[in-house]
Amino acid sequence: MSDILIIRSFIIKFIGIITLLSQITLCSSKSPDHQTYTKLFNDLFSAKDVNGNKIYNPEVLPIGKSDTPSPVDVNALLYANQLLDFNHETQALSMVFWLTMDWKDERLAWNPADYNGINETQVRPNNVWVPDLQLYNAADDNFRFGDLTEQVMAVLSYDGTVSWFPMVPYTFSCRMNLHYFPFDYQTCYIKLGTWIYGADTMNLKLKSDKVNLNFFTKSNTWHLVENYALVNEISAPRYPPNENQLFTLQDMKFFFILKRNPVQYIINIVVTCIFFSIICAFSFILPFTVNSDRLSLSLSIVISVSVYQLVAMDVIPTGSDEITILSWFLTLLVFLIMISVLVTLFSMVLNDQTHLKLVPEWIFKFLVEGKYGIGRLFRINKCDTYHCYLRRLKLTEEQNQELDELILQEDCEIIKVIAGLQWNLVTISIDRLSMVLYFIVMLGSIIWLLLYQDLDSFQMKAAYERIFNDVDGLKLR
């Protein structure tokens, strides 16, 4: 038992000694401090040559120390962060991006052993050389990266690698095709490129042929369905006095295919106007004795749709010369409602109770009594007015009176009644025919509008063609 206690005491003392020694070792080891970082910064940026000039100049391109300097490879990757706004009138898209870039600058390399193991440090971008990237298709005055150099630090690694990842809010122009609104796709791109350097001095490379969307905040109005990243090379004349010589200019194009969310437009505009049209369609089944109320209903709906169309124009884009399919749809509904008003006016004329002439026989057979006419299709012979008409004819036959003889008589009360019933039957047939045609055209227009929602593949194909036809001398890195 005593041996076990002795062994346990020895183990505890041994562990204590090891712990004490490790603490002494950690305390004695040197860690980077403020003075070490200051020394590193001064050695990199304040060192001078024998002539008293600073060795590092941030305005000089880091093309290397060899006799045959190679171009600076700038590796870029774009992160999309947020879609802020898409202005239809100015056709400008506002988004927030992170553009990560890294390149080698041999003048900024150091030995970590000389600086207590410092592998990297952070400096202001204006202290180092940075690519002179410009936004070629800017829609405002924010087109230079230089305006943001004081906001995001650059990271220097001991091997001379410089990394910079500024967050940039950009507003860039985007030509819109609004024909398919509100089921439209829009293809937009940002064009970033150097203003001075050619491909022989600064070489742009993409880390990926896609924009990184890991940190993208989704928008309720627009859905980012696809994106592409491309490096484009074009030949351009040099600056004077060497304008006769050509050199290669590079730019990076980041394409975005955006799809509009049509739900709000369908609910707030399309469905409401469809309800107005359905109410107007049912005005055709009102009895001919209330034509004035029917006309009032149709005119009230016309006014309602017209006022609602003015309100809807505030949300329908007007920044394009093309007429949207939603505008065509609303115009068609207004046209249908106006046609219903004209049919109502025509019915009022036919229902005039002062008719002294019977309906022509061929019209009456086609619209009311014909075996293969509209009357049979709409079962006019089942309505109460037709039965009243038959009873009146039967009463006339029982009195041994012929219609042709009654027409020649001055007392035409019987003819007025029979003619009125005939014209009423014709009006009922016309109303039912108009209601069927109205519903057919209205449903056809609704189906026509909704079919545009299924043209995704067609619009995506057009977007692809625009992307790959818009790039001259395409070169994917």
Side-chain angles (χ1 to χ4, degrees):
M1 187 68 179
S2 60
D3 295 338
I4 296 176
L5 293 175
I6 294 173
I7 295 174
R8 180 182 298 178
S9 177
F10 176 76
I11 293 175
I12 294 175
K13 291 180 180 179
F14 180 76
I15 294 175
I17 294 173
I18 295 298
T19 304
L20 180 61
L21 291 175
S22 63
Q23 290 179 353
I24 294 174
T25 303
L26 290 175
C27 292
S28 62
S29 63
K30 295 183 179 180
S31 59
D33 54 10
H34 176 71
Q35 293 181 353
T36 307
Y37 279 103
T38 302
K39 181 178 182 301
L40 174 61
F41 183 87
N42 292 332
D43 291 345
L44 291 178
F45 300 105
S46 300
K48 298 182 180 180
D49 56 16
V50 294
N51 297 323
N53 299 320
K54 288 185 177 182
I55 297 177
Y56 186 85
N57 187 349
E59 297 182 0
V60 177
L61 189 72
I63 55 177
K65 301 177 181 179
S66 61
D67 296 335
T68 57
S70 59
V72 180
D73 292 331
V74 178
N75 304 301
L77 177 63
L78 188 70
Y79 289 80
N81 180 262
Q82 187 178 3
L83 193 155
L84 299 177
D85 182 44
F86 205 156
N87 193 311
H88 297 93
E89 295 184 359
T90 60
Q91 297 196 14
L93 177 61
S94 299
M95 296 182 68
V96 179
F97 300 101
W98 291 337
L99 181 61
T100 65
M101 296 176 290
D102 61 77
W103 59 93
K104 271 291 188 68
D105 192 338
E106 296 180 1
R107 299 171 297 174
L108 299 177
W110 71 88
N111 186 2
D114 298 336
Y115 300 92
N116 293 339
I118 296 179
N119 292 322
E120 65 179 26
T121 185
Q122 296 80 34
V123 298
R124 293 287 181 183
N126 57 354
N127 291 318
V128 299
W129 177 90
V130 294
D132 68 323
L133 295 180
Q134 315 288 332
L135 181 63
Y136 280 72
N137 58 332
D140 56 12
D141 57 352
N142 183 24
F143 59 92
R144 296 182 63 249
F145 263 90
D147 298 335
L148 301 170
T149 54
E150 296 297 330
Q151 300 182 17
V152 181
M153 303 287 282
V155 179
L156 307 183
S157 297
Y158 72 94
D159 60 350
T161 301
V162 183
S163 302
W164 190 37
F165 32 88
M167 177 179 284
V168 188
Y170 268 149
T171 299
F172 50 95
S173 59
C174 178
R175 185 176 179 274
M176 304 182 70
N177 180 7
L178 297 174
H179 174 68
Y180 298 100
F181 176 86
F183 310 111
D184 54 321
Y185 282 68
Q186 301 299 334
T187 304
C188 305
Y189 68 90
I190 62 173
K191 182 179 179 180
L192 291 171
T194 176
W195 196 257
I196 299 294
Y197 301 113
D200 55 342
T201 55
M202 190 179 78
N203 187 25
L204 294 176
K205 292 185 177 181
L206 291 174
K207 296 181 181 180
S208 173
D209 61 349
K210 298 282 187 179
V211 177
N212 194 302
L213 302 179
N214 292 338
F215 305 100
F216 184 72
T217 302
K218 294 183 179 180
S219 171
N220 294 327
T221 306
W222 292 94
H223 298 157
L224 182 55
V225 296
E226 191 57 272
N227 68 86
Y228 295 94
L230 309 171
V231 172
N232 186 39
E233 294 185 352
I234 60 174
S235 296
R238 290 187 178 274
Y239 299 99
N242 300 319
E243 61 270 14
N244 295 327
Q245 300 178 5
L246 296 179
F247 75 119
T248 303
L249 278 176
Q250 289 182 323
D251 61 72
M252 299 179 293
K253 286 188 176 181
F254 302 92
F255 291 86
F256 305 94
I257 301 179
L258 303 171
K259 177 184 179 182
R260 191 190 304 271
N261 183 5
V263 175
Q264 296 297 328
Y265 299 98
I266 293 176
I267 294 177
N268 296 329
I269 300 178
V270 176
V271 175
T272 304
C273 291
I274 289 175
F275 284 156
F276 283 142
S277 301
I278 292 175
I279 294 173
C280 187
F282 281 113
S283 67
F284 288 112
I285 64 176
L286 291 177
F288 60 85
T289 56
V290 290
N291 268 320
S292 58
D293 295 335
R294 176 173 149 185
L295 180 62
S296 300
L297 174 62
S298 299
L299 291 176
S300 299
I301 294 176
V302 170
I303 296 174
S304 300
V305 173
S306 300
V307 173
Y308 193 79
Q309 190 175 23
L310 292 176
V311 176
M313 289 303 296
D314 294 335
V315 297
I316 296 178
T318 57
S320 175
D321 295 334
E322 298 179 347
I323 300 177
T324 66
I325 60 171
L326 183 58
S327 299
W328 283 115
F329 177 75
L330 295 178
T331 303
L332 180 59
L333 292 186
V334 172
F335 176 76
L336 286 177
I337 295 174
M338 292 299 299
I339 292 296
S340 70
V341 173
L342 296 178
V343 172
T344 299
L345 294 174
F346 184 65
S347 299
M348 293 180 66
V349 175
L350 295 182
N351 282 322
D352 187 3
Q353 299 299 322
T354 60
H355 286 296
L356 297 178
K357 292 184 179 181
L358 299 176
V359 179
E361 184 177 356
W362 67 273
I363 295 179
F364 193 73
K365 285 185 177 181
F366 178 73
L367 295 177
V368 180
E369 290 185 329
K371 184 176 180 180
Y372 302 103
I374 295 177
R376 183 177 180 86
L377 178 63
F378 297 123
R379 303 174 66 86
I380 302 298
N381 56 357
K382 301 296 182 181
C383 65
D384 295 336
T385 304
Y386 185 74
H387 293 159
C388 181
Y389 167 71
L390 293 180
R391 288 195 299 269
R392 190 62 192 176
L393 287 182
K394 184 177 180 182
L395 180 60
T396 303
E397 292 175 357
E398 291 176 353
Q399 296 176 359
N400 295 323
Q401 295 176 321
E402 296 292 338
L403 291 180
D404 295 337
E405 296 178 358
L406 293 174
I407 293 175
L408 298 176
Q409 295 179 7
E410 294 181 0
D411 187 7
C412 299
E413 291 297 328
I414 298 177
I415 294 300
K416 287 183 180 181
V417 174
I418 295 177
L421 292 172
Q422 284 187 344
W423 286 109
N424 287 340
L425 290 171
V426 170
T427 302
I428 293 174
S429 180
I430 293 176
D431 286 345
R432 294 186 180 181
L433 176 62
S434 300
M435 184 176 68
V436 171
L437 294 177
Y438 185 98
F439 269 112
I440 291 175
V441 176
M442 185 184 69
L443 291 177
S445 62
I446 295 174
I447 295 174
W448 168 77
L449 176 68
L450 297 180
L451 281 178
Y452 276 93
Q453 190 173 7
D454 297 328
L455 295 179
D456 292 354
S457 59
F458 176 80
Q459 294 196 60
M460 287 293 290
K461 180 180 178 181
Y464 293 149
E465 292 178 353
R466 181 179 178 185
I467 290 175
F468 294 107
N469 291 337
D470 193 37
V471 179
D472 299 326
L474 180 63
K475 188 175 183 181
L476 180 60
R477 301 291 183 87

